[in-house]
Amino acid sequence: MVKNLKKIIWVFSTELQIPSDLAGCILPANYLKIPKIIIKQDTNINKILDSNKPDVIIFGKCLNSNTINLAKEAKKRNIKTISCFNDWHFKAETTKQEKQFYLNNILAQNTDHIVVKSLEAGITIKKNTGFSFNVIGDCLRYNSFEISTTYIKDPKLLWFGSSSNHDTLLMGLNEIEKLKIVSKIFIVTNISQKLIDKLKSNYYKYIKLSLISFSEINLINVAKASSIIIMPLIEDHIRFVKSSNRIVDSLNFGKFVIKSKTTYHTELDEYCYVGNIGEGINWYFDNYDKVIEKIKNGKNFVQNNYSLESIGNQWLKLLNTI
């Protein structure tokens, strides 16, 4: 329960359930029974404030300048505000990113508290802006499966993610191919001709690929049938500030996770094989008892720390300090 029964609204800039808002904002808002409001470019912000009379406003991803107008008006009315940020790496490479970073910066200047998905993201924001931050991660998005302890000599592998991570996928596939590991790998993603052409041009001799269009049900079905989830990662400014939700969800599925060595999301390393993706597959075959131990401990860790209840309680703790 929020102390003193504060009236809170959670504001979004679009009716679309974009991934960054879903796990970090929409699901916690639903869990805490906080009303959600869409602010479009033509929304009457004074009417919103007059009719809802909030004590606190939480902002999801800012996609229009009217959201900033709302934050400024809230400040005039002494309404406390919280901004949620993700993927803010300060090295805009496109006009779209320049606009997004501009909106992020102005919104941050006009809110009282900033919430980020990871400590690494918070440090990046602090370094570039001087803004203080609170860390509240994304919550688990999917149900878990019962852990199978049966050794499978030809395990199915899964990679899932969006097109922004296709470069990491290609890196991981190359690490497997170079070690001549015969593998069947399911790829659940938003399929494009660019991805198809790239995979064909690489010509994998030892890897058999199955491309599956991303949807929640497709991901769940493929994850359930897989034994290993591969999570190749690149150490760059873009990935450094991303949420750990793909790793966390993979551990929650109760599967063996192989991830690249990075300086971010290291709190999850002890529950995964960390290093070359191909070498991780070989480690699976040679250390199956340790594989099961990592799976069990990893699933337990993420359910204790990233469940909707846990993330909801972290939000309550912050709200009760305001």
Side-chain angles (χ1 to χ4, degrees):
M1 182 69 67
V2 180
K3 199 181 294 181
N4 300 325
L5 296 176
K6 297 184 183 78
K7 182 154 187 193
I8 306 164
I9 59 174
W10 211 311
V11 167
F12 299 92
S13 302
T14 175
E15 295 175 349
L16 300 174
Q17 290 194 359
I18 55 178
S20 55
D21 272 345
L22 179 60
C25 297
I26 295 173
L27 293 177
N30 291 344
Y31 177 77
L32 296 172
K33 296 181 171 56
I34 296 175
K36 302 186 296 294
I37 295 176
I38 307 297
I39 299 295
K40 298 180 180 179
Q41 192 61 44
D42 60 352
T43 299
N44 187 322
I45 59 172
N46 286 304
K47 186 175 180 180
I48 292 292
L49 293 176
D50 291 341
S51 60
N52 288 276
K53 294 181 170 56
D55 300 303
V56 180
I57 301 175
I58 308 173
F59 293 91
K61 190 167 187 176
C62 180
L63 298 174
N64 63 62
S65 59
N66 203 30
T67 303
I68 295 169
N69 294 336
L70 177 63
K72 289 179 177 179
E73 182 61 27
K75 199 170 192 176
K76 292 177 184 177
R77 301 187 187 202
N78 294 316
I79 299 169
K80 298 300 182 182
T81 50
I82 304 172
S83 300
C84 303
F85 291 109
N86 66 296
D87 297 1
W88 195 359
H89 51 72
F90 296 93
K91 294 182 182 179
E93 298 172 351
T94 65
T95 301
K96 181 180 178 181
Q97 284 186 351
E98 285 179 1
K99 179 182 177 181
Q100 183 62 64
F101 295 174
Y102 172 79
L103 292 173
N104 285 353
N105 194 44
I106 300 301
L107 181 60
Q109 291 176 22
N110 287 278
T111 49
D112 300 300
H113 301 271
I114 291 174
V115 169
V116 295
K117 306 293 182 72
S118 69
L119 177 61
E120 294 83 4
I123 291 171
T124 299
I125 287 178
K126 179 76 172 177
K127 178 182 176 182
N128 284 275
T129 67
F131 300 145
S132 298
F133 60 90
N134 302 272
V135 178
I136 301 179
D138 284 345
C139 65
L140 297 171
R141 296 176 288 181
Y142 311 109
N143 292 329
S144 61
F145 311 126
E146 185 176 344
I147 296 172
S148 173
T149 57
T150 303
Y151 176 79
I152 299 175
K153 64 179 182 179
D154 54 345
K156 294 182 175 66
L157 280 65
L158 164 64
W159 181 91
F160 68 95
S162 67
S163 57
S164 63
N165 290 305
H166 284 169
D167 55 347
T168 68
L169 166 65
L170 297 170
M171 181 189 79
L173 294 178
N174 287 336
E175 290 179 353
I176 296 169
E177 181 74 9
K178 283 181 180 179
L179 292 182
K180 301 180 180 180
I181 301 172
V182 177
S183 307
K184 184 173 184 179
I185 304 175
F186 294 95
I187 298 171
V188 181
T189 188
N190 45 323
I191 301 171
S192 65
Q193 191 59 48
K194 181 180 178 181
L195 174 63
I196 293 171
D197 292 343
K198 189 64 178 177
L199 292 173
K200 284 182 177 179
S201 68
N202 283 359
Y203 178 69
Y204 300 106
K205 183 177 179 181
Y206 300 96
I207 299 173
K208 182 180 179 181
L209 299 175
S210 294
L211 282 176
I212 299 171
S213 182
F214 184 87
S215 71
E216 183 173 322
I217 190 64
N218 284 346
L219 175 58
I220 290 170
N221 287 339
V222 176
K224 193 170 186 178
S226 302
S227 300
I228 299 172
I229 299 178
I230 60 171
M231 202 63 58
L233 301 168
I234 293 175
E235 185 85 11
D236 66 5
H237 65 279
I238 297 174
R239 256 59 66 132
F240 192 78
V241 297
K242 279 187 173 291
S243 164
S244 61
N245 56 21
R246 287 193 302 147
I247 306 171
V248 167
D249 286 332
S250 298
L251 291 169
N252 184 54
F253 281 145
K255 304 298 177 177
F256 181 53
V257 179
I258 303 173
K259 67 178 285 287
S260 305
K261 183 175 179 58
T262 61
T263 59
Y264 55 92
H265 307 323
T266 55
E267 71 279 6
L268 302 171
D269 282 1
E270 66 178 287
Y271 310 111
C272 311
Y273 177 90
V274 179
N276 179 282
I277 304 300
E279 291 174 1
I281 297 172
N282 285 333
W283 194 88
Y284 167 92
F285 292 121
D286 297 335
N287 300 273
Y288 197 68
D289 288 344
K290 293 181 181 178
V291 165
I292 296 302
E293 182 181 358
K294 282 184 178 291
I295 292 172
K296 290 179 178 178
N297 291 342
K299 183 177 179 181
N300 183 61
F301 178 80
V302 298
Q303 290 188 343
N304 285 335
N305 292 278
Y306 295 91
S307 67
L308 189 51
E309 180 182 7
S310 175
I311 297 302
N313 286 336
Q314 291 177 49
W315 273 107
L316 283 178
K317 185 177 179 180
L318 173 60
L319 290 166
N320 282 328
T321 66
I322 296 174

